[in-house]
Amino acid sequence: DQQVKQNSPSLSVQEGRISILNCDYTNSMFDYFLWYKKYPAEGPTFLISISSIKDKNEDGRFTVFLNKSAKHLSLHIVPSQPGDSAVYFCAATMTGNQFYFGTGTSLTVIP
Amino acid sequence: DAGITQSPRHKVTETGTPVTLRCHQTENHRYMYWYRQDPGHGLRLIHYSYGVKDTDKGEVSDGYSVSRSKTEDFLLTLESATSSQTSVYFCAIRASGGTGGETQYFGPGTRLLVL
């Protein structure tokens, strides 16, 4: 049973606009959430994370929002750039031992 | 770069043959992981290790075994490969990262085709 879900397999955005990627989870015990970015033929790379004690974390053009009551997190990319085109995975953990991943969203930023 | 290498990077094998994939890390991390990535399924944990000779199963462990005799090496073995094990396999280590929590750093992947 998928504990972390990304319901949008793909997203297209114009360069310079905002990209919003969404992720839902079912396990209320998760206390740490992460986003990874993956280019073809490469391993995923860590992008940004957030602890459950916060509702927002920013790092440059990337912001992650956490809504614990809705069990929902989102990644905002502003402004979007063509180099952001990749597959984005959200992940969650409760112990730091095992990480549970969503199925990924393929983002295409159109120049 | 967390110093993670995987070998081989590509492999074609036949159904019923044993296959071993190797993950090597250079930074003495305690936790190591094996995932497979398949379309529509994202990344799924096969096995992980929390120290030499200490391993545990993930959500898709059937048909796979692992061994860790040295801190730096984590081996994934398909005892008798099947076509359903055609996938891209990623190794990862756990390290500090992000906002005070742990994160994972991944190797470049091994693309396995079972004919």
Side-chain angles (χ1 to χ4, degrees):
Chain A
D1 188 26
Q2 194 85 20
Q3 299 190 57
V4 178
K5 301 177 183 178
Q6 294 175 259
N7 294 318
S8 297
S10 62
L11 174 69
S12 290
V13 171
Q14 290 285 340
E15 181 179 2
R17 306 294 290 268
I18 184 171
S19 295
I20 300 176
L21 295 92
N22 294 303
C23 179
D24 297 296
Y25 61 95
T26 58
N27 192 334
S28 58
M29 297 299 291
F30 288 142
D31 59 4
Y32 194 63
F33 304 88
L34 311 95
W35 285 95
Y36 291 83
K37 177 179 180 178
K38 185 184 179 305
Y39 292 119
E42 295 183 9
T45 55
F46 170 69
L47 193 57
I48 192 169
S49 62
I50 187 167
S51 165
S52 61
I53 63 173
K54 297 190 172 185
D55 53 19
K56 177 182 174 181
N57 186 34
E58 276 183 88
D59 184 0
R61 296 185 298 113
F62 302 90
T63 303
V64 56
F65 295 92
L66 176 63
N67 183 334
K68 290 187 291 294
S69 60
K71 295 192 181 68
H72 177 84
L73 66 155
S74 61
L75 175 68
H76 293 210
I77 306 173
V78 183
S80 300
Q81 299 173 354
D84 296 329
S85 297
V87 177
Y88 290 78
F89 292 99
C90 65
T93 183
M94 65 187 89
T95 63
N97 294 344
Q98 289 198 44
F99 294 75
Y100 298 85
F101 285 80
T103 51
T105 296
S106 178
L107 173 66
T108 301
V109 179
I110 304 164
Chain B
D1 184 4
I4 306 166
T5 56
Q6 293 184 230
S7 59
R9 293 294 313 279
H10 302 271
K11 186 166 182 69
V12 180
T13 190
E14 293 188 349
T15 297
T17 60
V19 176
T20 295
L21 309 182
R22 179 179 181 244
C23 178
H24 180 78
Q25 55 131 338
T26 59
E27 298 184 359
N28 212 35
H29 295 287
R30 181 181 169 199
Y31 280 79
M32 298 184 74
Y33 303 80
W34 277 107
Y35 289 90
R36 59 179 290 175
Q37 185 199 3
D38 304 288
H41 291 280
L43 289 157
R44 292 181 293 174
L45 180 65
I46 304 171
H47 282 279
Y48 70 101
S49 170
Y50 47 95
V52 172
K53 293 188 169 52
D54 293 322
T55 64
D56 206 350
K57 295 179 179 179
E59 61 181 308
V60 290
S61 60
D62 287 348
Y64 301 94
S65 62
V66 289
S67 66
R68 192 162 177 208
S69 59
K70 298 185 290 184
T71 299
E72 58 265 35
D73 289 324
F74 191 31
L75 304 181
L76 177 71
T77 298
L78 290 64
E79 302 289 349
S80 177
T82 67
S83 58
S84 65
Q85 294 176 311
T86 291
S87 187
V88 181
Y89 291 85
F90 290 101
C91 174
I93 58 92
R94 191 188 79 175
S96 297
T99 51
E102 300 288 319
T103 188
Q104 292 182 312
Y105 296 91
F106 287 83
T110 294
R111 190 171 294 272
L112 176 67
L113 174 61
V114 183
L115 300 174

